[in-house]
Amino acid sequence: MRQRIAMLPVAQLVAVLCGLAPAGLTAPTAKATVIVTNARVYTVNAKRPWADAVAIGGDRILAVGSREAIDAFRNENTRVIDAHGRLVLPGFTDSHFHLIEGSRALTQVDLNGTASITEVQQRVKKFAAAHPDASWITGRGWSYDIFGEAALPDKKYLDEVVTDRPVYLVGYDGHTSWVNSKAMAVAGITRDTPDPPNGWIVRDAKGEPSGALKEDADDLVGSRVHATREEQLAALRLGLRQANQAGLVRVICLGNSIPLVDDGSNLELYDELLRKGELTLRLYVSSYEGPPTLTKDEIAAVVQAKQTYHGDWLAAGAAKFYLDGVIESHTAAMLTPYSDDPKQLGSLRWDEGEYKRAVAELDRRGIQVFTHAIGDRAVRLALDAYEAAARTNDTHDMRHRIEHIETITAQDIPRFGKLGVIASYQPLHAEPNDDTLKVWARNAGPDRASRGWTWQSVARTGGRLAFGSDWPVVTLSPWYGVQNAVTRQTLDGKPEGGWLPQERVSLEQAIEGYTLGAAFSGHRETTEGSLEEGKLADLIVLDQDLFKVAPSAIHKTKVLLTMVGGKVVYQSPEMAVGSAQ
Ligand SMILES: [Zn+2]
């Protein structure tokens, strides 16, 4: 390539190097800082889905095309990344992420994948022994099915392994906590402690707190666990590294479910990393708005956050609402009673009128709203609120989102497309494991369970899908999510043909859900989500070609290289990267 430039007429060479080439000149006027070549590039650009190479100048894509066309952007300073024929995709966006909690969890007892109470006890015991100076033993990731019929934890199992220090273990979904007797003593929880609003201290037959804290009762203990700023920054650095390693270039952070630090200080932490040049993941951060009412201060704070942070790396100014809980613990709000317990309907955390008023107030100010809604009643209320706000305020294209949408009535499915409401799903939540098929499906009952996570029905009726993980609820690796989105099967292939197979999506749809669809859900599709000229240079190189491997092998995907804004932020040792020679 150097030779070709040297053979250009001097005038044209000067023009090229100085960026002064006259309009209409076919030779590229800009030179690439980086070229990714010899690749199978799936662009997620419908006009040109496939290419061999990408030219990058600074943090932007200069061109996507054939090897020859992209070679023309090369000069002696261009770094050339040879992908060796591997699949290159736009970097992935996780549309529903809890960066603070997930990063903190990396420094705690990891209970993900524990199959029995004994296994939890072993991990807690081992962690306690390895961390004799830790004043709290905290952990995350246990699941309800290890408790059998009871489906709820008990303090006695933790008291068997740790008595000298408080133990605080958050369930995999973040909606129930499991504590030992010492933790309850530290928090002052006794049989006389009343349930807090939107929270339940689970009690045994004699009225004694059993060690399970549902929903906001978690705060009684959780609010006593603190980390220093340095500990938080150290945890965040771990989280950023893991995210980049999994192929993530942006995450959309949903308001905290655990009050570790308030949202204001979260933004300060992110900003500190940005200023130090350590932020390697683009962030769009929402603030949590709690019931019973949206206050003037909360409105001012979210508007201020949007004005302060609106860059490509760090943006804020969306509002997150929790409308209900989860189906496993009967806290998701249903239109008709739970099938396993007809006395329960779940409940809304917000008064319907107050929630609608809050949504309209934010919509009027241009603030995007994310609403957690899992039961069919909560999903309907969120759709109603968004519809009413758009009508009252005459707003358009706000792209308010509903998070999770685990159950839905048939008549509400087409409303996503009709109203332009984003369906924010976490495909791995629908993995047909024991928790889903035994606890979730039993509670929901056969009719509602037949409309569990209706991805394809929402898409077919014009709804836009945004995919994510809800990390640390499940792994942050999107490849497990992509696999479940296309198979709806467990890793060992069950059930045959997939659970509710009509709701599976194609591989292209799954990739779009984590790229262009996710970008659209955060108003970023003009600069992110596909590999196109002018967009940000965020891309990944994979070790296997998703379009060629069996769907059951997608979860094994390894990311070999992650680039954000033209800079390599993660590179596997397996990826030999050459430079311009
Ligand atoms: Zn979440």
Side-chain angles (χ1 to χ4, degrees):
M1 267 327 298
R2 240 182 297 160
Q3 293 88 322
R4 202 198 292 176
I5 284 186
M7 286 186 297
L8 287 173
V10 172
Q12 195 178 329
L13 179 61
V14 169
V16 166
L17 294 176
C18 304
L20 296 171
L25 187 74
T26 48
T29 55
K31 285 300 163 193
T33 44
V34 183
I35 281 176
V36 180
T37 191
N38 190 19
R40 282 233 316 145
V41 183
Y42 179 65
T43 64
V44 193
N45 171 8
K47 289 191 207 100
R48 186 191 184 135
W50 291 96
D52 323 313
V54 182
I56 293 149
D59 67 348
R60 299 271 164 171
I61 295 171
L62 296 173
V64 181
S66 67
R67 280 182 80 157
E68 298 69 36
I70 295 306
D71 255 355
F73 286 85
R74 185 168 161 180
N75 71 6
E76 63 276 13
N77 297 320
T78 302
R79 178 182 180 189
V80 177
I81 297 175
D82 184 339
H84 297 285
R86 289 184 171 117
L87 185 66
V88 169
L89 297 177
F92 270 33
T93 287
D94 191 313
S95 308
H96 187 125
F97 207 76
H98 298 280
L99 183 58
I100 294 281
E101 292 91 332
S103 299
R104 285 290 310 282
L106 295 175
T107 63
Q108 302 171 345
V109 193
D110 177 10
L111 300 173
N112 287 294
T114 44
S116 67
I117 293 166
T118 313
E119 216 181 327
V120 171
Q121 288 177 316
Q122 284 163 351
R123 290 198 198 176
V124 169
K125 205 170 161 181
K126 197 170 154 202
F127 187 93
H131 299 84
D133 297 332
S135 52
W136 282 79
I137 309 298
T138 58
R140 189 170 180 117
W142 57 265
S143 70
Y144 299 89
D145 56 322
I146 64 169
F147 304 103
E149 275 296 293
L152 277 175
D154 195 303
K155 64 186 176 191
K156 70 182 177 195
Y157 303 118
L158 298 179
D159 290 344
E160 283 168 24
V161 287
V162 180
T163 51
D164 61 329
R165 285 174 282 173
V167 179
Y168 169 69
L169 309 176
V170 179
Y172 82 98
D173 61 2
H175 286 266
T176 306
S177 297
W178 178 12
V179 298
N180 68 350
S181 294
K182 181 80 178 176
M184 286 202 285
V186 169
I189 299 173
T190 67
R191 57 181 300 135
D192 302 324
T193 309
D195 287 341
N198 290 310
W200 295 270
I201 300 167
V202 180
R203 297 160 209 265
D204 65 17
K206 293 186 203 127
E208 283 297 324
S210 66
L213 304 170
K214 285 196 199 178
E215 302 297 335
D216 290 358
D218 168 273
D219 296 357
L220 298 171
V221 176
S223 61
R224 300 190 177 248
V225 185
H226 284 292
T228 65
R229 189 178 181 91
E230 274 320 305
E231 283 168 341
Q232 287 165 2
L233 285 169
L236 277 174
R237 289 184 188 103
L238 287 177
L240 297 180
R241 198 186 318 146
Q242 283 215 356
N244 290 148
Q245 195 167 346
L248 300 178
V249 299
R250 170 182 290 282
V251 298
I252 300 180
C253 297
L254 279 285
N256 292 316
S257 53
I258 310 171
L260 291 171
V261 281
D262 63 54
D263 287 284
S265 55
N266 287 353
L267 283 167
E268 280 169 32
L269 290 176
Y270 303 147
D271 195 39
E272 180 172 341
L273 291 172
L274 176 62
R275 278 184 280 109
K276 287 179 170 165
E278 292 184 76
L279 195 61
T280 54
L281 188 65
R282 302 183 191 279
L283 306 177
Y284 178 30
V285 184
S286 64
S287 36
Y288 168 67
E289 316 297 354
T293 180
L294 181 70
T295 64
K296 283 204 174 70
D297 285 352
E298 283 173 322
I299 296 172
V302 71
V303 168
Q304 178 67 51
K306 188 173 167 134
Q307 281 164 1
T308 310
Y309 301 104
H310 50 259
D312 287 331
W313 283 99
L314 180 55
K320 161 85 186 278
F321 288 81
Y322 265 102
L323 262 191
D324 65 348
V326 293
I327 288 168
E328 286 86 339
S329 63
H330 304 101
T331 50
M334 298 295 202
L335 290 162
T336 54
Y338 277 87
S339 291
D340 64 314
D341 185 352
K343 290 194 296 297
Q344 306 214 50
L345 263 173
S347 60
L348 292 167
R349 297 164 67 103
W350 280 78
D351 168 78
E352 293 201 20
E354 281 293 337
Y355 167 70
K356 285 185 172 172
R357 241 187 317 279
V359 167
E361 282 290 334
L362 294 166
D363 175 271
R364 190 159 67 80
R365 291 171 171 83
I367 300 296
Q368 192 181 11
V369 177
F370 305 153
T371 299
H372 166 122
I374 282 182
D376 52 12
R377 180 179 175 207
V379 171
R380 177 167 296 171
L381 174 57
L383 288 165
D384 289 348
Y386 294 163
E387 185 173 23
R391 200 185 317 114
T392 310
N393 300 329
D394 194 26
T395 44
H396 302 275
D397 199 29
M398 286 298 296
R399 305 183 198 175
H400 297 313
R401 312 193 331 182
I402 303 183
E403 310 299 318
H404 311 309
I405 322 161
E406 294 190 4
T407 60
I408 187 168
T409 62
Q411 72 255 42
D412 282 335
I413 289 173
R415 294 178 71 197
F416 284 86
K418 194 168 149 250
L419 302 173
V421 171
I422 307 288
S424 171
Y425 281 115
Q426 301 74 42
L428 196 52
H429 287 198
E431 186 189 18
N433 54 22
D434 280 356
D435 185 68
T436 303
L437 295 189
K438 293 186 180 156
V439 183
W440 186 95
R442 177 198 65 198
N443 296 5
D447 176 54
R448 270 184 298 236
S450 75
R451 290 181 307 280
W453 293 278
T454 55
W455 310 319
Q456 194 60 279
S457 297
V458 167
R460 209 180 297 115
T461 50
R464 291 293 295 255
L465 305 179
F467 285 166
S469 65
D470 207 1
W471 189 62
V473 174
V474 297
T475 171
L476 56 61
S477 163
W479 312 107
Y480 289 83
V482 171
Q483 176 167 325
N484 200 55
V486 301
T487 64
R488 291 180 74 114
Q489 287 178 322
T490 58
L491 292 183
D492 51 359
K494 291 183 187 125
E496 208 177 314
W499 177 59
L500 308 179
Q502 70 279 10
E503 298 298 346
R504 289 174 303 183
V505 297
S506 67
L507 177 60
E508 289 84 350
Q509 280 179 297
I511 292 171
E512 180 168 337
Y514 286 100
T515 55
L516 197 55
F520 185 85
S521 85
H523 293 276
R524 292 266 158 193
E525 78 284 1
T526 57
T527 49
E528 295 172 30
S530 61
L531 299 174
E532 292 181 58
E533 184 184 333
K535 285 197 173 184
L536 289 166
D538 299 351
L539 59 80
I540 50 180
V541 182
L542 306 185
D543 74 329
Q544 60 174 1
D545 193 329
L546 303 181
F547 292 88
K548 292 177 179 166
V549 300
S552 60
I554 293 173
H555 73 280
K556 294 182 187 149
T557 302
K558 290 215 164 44
V559 174
L560 299 183
L561 181 142
T562 303
M563 178 187 289
V564 189
K567 287 208 178 83
V568 174
V569 296
Y570 168 73
Q571 187 184 321
S572 144
E574 292 162 64
M575 181 85 192
V577 179
S579 55
Q581 59 294 100

